[in-house]
């Protein structure tokens, strides 16, 4: 990588870490997925139950099988059939887990965490309930400010997610959000964590690699 591109990327992440800490969040930088995975396993050591949000980023770290091997009770609704009573109960259990692992659609250099959800189990669980929340993001999810965060969701994160779910929504044809009224719309809740919620211990784990979408 060009040295100036690399230096610019590092400055962006340093600024983001500093802003998040000013807003009361924990903030940790890791240069690799492996280092971040080791940190997550250390945090999880004292937890009996772990909720796993619908996230490719966390799964890319390989921590889910490791947590299973460590004997943790996992609430992972991706292993269940959508909409069944069992799956809905799993989403609810995420809100009471000792630890909740999630990613975010965007983290801003001004220190906010931004998400748009279809169900709201992710936005609920990362706000209140679990004893500890780790928000794991690759450098590709760091953006300048709240406008850029919404832009990232509407131009990148949501259309790709709709495509991955095989939804018949206009964004899967245009590549950007059309603010649709489709019954298959996945964008139903927008959450901005401006500051650390009062009773929730949240740490943002920023990895200097591109992860998820
Ligand atoms: S609101 Fe509709 S068009 Fe926009 S990103 Fe979500 S699903 Fe796609």
């Amino acid at each position: 990588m060009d040295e100036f591109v690399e230096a610019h990327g590092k400055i962006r992440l340093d600024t983001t870490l500093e802003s998040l800490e000013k807003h009361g969040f924990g903030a940790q930088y890791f240069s690799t997925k492996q280092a971040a995975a080791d940190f997550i396993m250390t945090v999880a050591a004292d937890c009996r139950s772990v909720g796993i949000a619908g996230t490719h980023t966390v799964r890319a770290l390989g921590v889910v099988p490791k947590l299973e091997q460590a004997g943790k009770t996992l609430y992972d609704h991706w292993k269940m059939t959508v909409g069944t009573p069992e799956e809905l109960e799993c989403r609810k259990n995420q809100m009471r887990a000792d630890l909740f692992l999630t990613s975010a659609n965007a983290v801003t250099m001004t220190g906010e965490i931004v998400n748009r959800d279809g169900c709201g189990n992710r936005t609920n669980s990362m706000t209140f309930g679990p004893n500890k929340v780790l928000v794991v993001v690759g450098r590709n999810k760091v953006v300048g400010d709240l406008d850029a965060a919404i832009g990232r969701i509407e131009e990148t994160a949501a259309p790709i997610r709709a495509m991955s779910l095989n939804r018949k929504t206009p964004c899967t044809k245009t590549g950007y959000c059309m603010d649709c009224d489709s019954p298959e719309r996945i964008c139903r809740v927008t959450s901005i964590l401006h500051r650390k919620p009062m009773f929730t211990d949240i740490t943002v784990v920023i990895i200097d690699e591109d992860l998820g979408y």
Side-chain angles (χ1 to χ4, degrees), residues 111-126:
E112 293 96 3
I113 302 166
V114 185
N115 283 290
R116 190 164 285 176
D117 264 15
C119 297
N121 57 295
R122 173 176 61 160
T123 49
N124 282 7
S125 297
M126 69 193 301

Side-chain angles (χ1 to χ4, degrees), residues 116 153-155 157-160 162 167-172 174 176-182 184-188:
R116 190 164 285 176
I153 290 168
E154 296 182 349
E155 292 167 21
I160 296 175
R167 295 295 172 98
K168 295 177 185 61
T169 53
C171 58
T172 62
T174 62
Y176 61 92
C177 179
M178 305 292 285
D179 192 17
C180 70
D181 289 318
S182 166
E184 299 198 19
R185 174 175 171 135
I186 63 168
C187 308
R188 294 166 185 264

